[in-house]
Amino acid sequence: MLVIHGLWLPGGSSTGGLAIWAEDSAAPIPAPRSGRPARERPHPFAAGHTDLAAVLADAAEPSRPDTALLTLPTVAGAPTDSPELIRTTVAPAARGRLTMAGWRVPTLVYDPDDALSLLQALDDISAVAGATLRHLAELADFAADLVTRGRILPGVRTMTADQTPGAGATAADQTPNAGATTAGETPNAGATTAGEP
C-alpha cells in the first residue's frame, strides 16, 4: 500500500507545480542507526517514480519526474512513518531522541492544470492520500467554489516606468503630476477625472 503526499513547489512552469511522493508500506524497515545523521540521505521507504506513475496513471499526466529534499521527523537514523502508513510487518520500537533530518524522495511533478485534475481524482486512485495531499485537495475545492460563485477580488498590479498604462491603471497613473501641489496651492482632494460625476 502506498501513502501519497504532496507539496507545492514555487516557481514557473519549468520549476513549479504539485510534487507528489509516497511511502511504501511493503518496503523493508530500515535498521536503527546511531551516530550523527548525514545532512541528506535517500528516504529508505519512499516509492520510486515507476510505482508512483502506475498508481496515478488514470488521474493525470505528470510533467516530469524529479526529487525533493524534505525535512522529516527522524528517530534512530530513520524517518518516522506518517500516521496513515500501515506496515505489512510490525516494526520494532525505535529508541532514541526525535530529531529533524533531510531526506531525498522521488517525486512526480504536475503542472497547475494537471494538478487540479489529480487533486479532484483522489477518491479514484488505489492509494491512501496523506494529510498534506488531502489539505491541498480541500484548498483546490475551496478555490474552485469561490470562482464558481464569483467570490473573487481583482488583483493589484504595479507598473514600472517603461510600461504604458493600460487596463487596470488608475487615473493617478494616467494623469501627469496627479496629486502634486505647488507652494500656495491647496490639494484638490475632491477633484474628479474627466467623465466622472
Side-chain angles (χ1 to χ4, degrees):
M1 175 188 75
L2 295 184
V3 177
I4 300 178
H5 305 283
L7 60 138
W8 192 263
L9 301 174
S13 60
S14 62
T15 58
L18 177 65
I20 301 292
W21 71 281
E23 296 171 287
D24 187 354
S25 65
I29 299 167
R33 294 173 51 174
S34 60
R36 185 179 174 101
R39 195 173 205 112
E40 172 186 330
R41 287 178 279 182
H43 194 291
F45 49 92
H49 292 117
T50 306
D51 295 333
L52 275 173
V55 168
L56 301 172
D58 294 335
E61 186 69 30
S63 61
R64 68 184 186 281
D66 205 348
T67 63
L69 178 62
L70 305 176
T71 302
L72 298 172
T74 303
V75 174
T80 59
D81 297 349
S82 68
E84 298 88 3
L85 186 68
I86 300 172
R87 292 201 171 268
T88 53
T89 58
V90 178
R95 296 177 186 234
R97 200 178 84 210
L98 181 69
T99 60
M100 301 299 279
W103 298 96
R104 178 74 56 183
V105 296
T107 62
L108 293 179
V109 181
Y110 294 82
D111 289 332
D113 289 340
D114 295 323
L116 181 60
S117 299
L118 174 66
L119 291 171
Q120 291 175 335
L122 289 183
D123 293 337
D124 301 329
I125 61 174
S126 61
V128 175
T132 55
L133 201 56
R134 289 193 315 269
H135 175 74
L136 289 170
E138 289 176 12
L139 186 61
D141 287 343
F142 178 63
D145 178 58
L146 289 176
V147 170
T148 302
R149 292 185 294 128
R151 303 288 194 233
I152 56 174
L153 292 174
V156 176
R157 187 180 85 180
T158 59
M159 296 175 48
T160 60
D162 61 338
Q163 292 177 319
T164 57
T170 64
D173 291 333
Q174 296 174 357
T175 307
N177 298 327
T181 59
T182 57
E185 282 186 280
T186 52
N188 199 0
T192 60
T193 59
E196 290 183 345

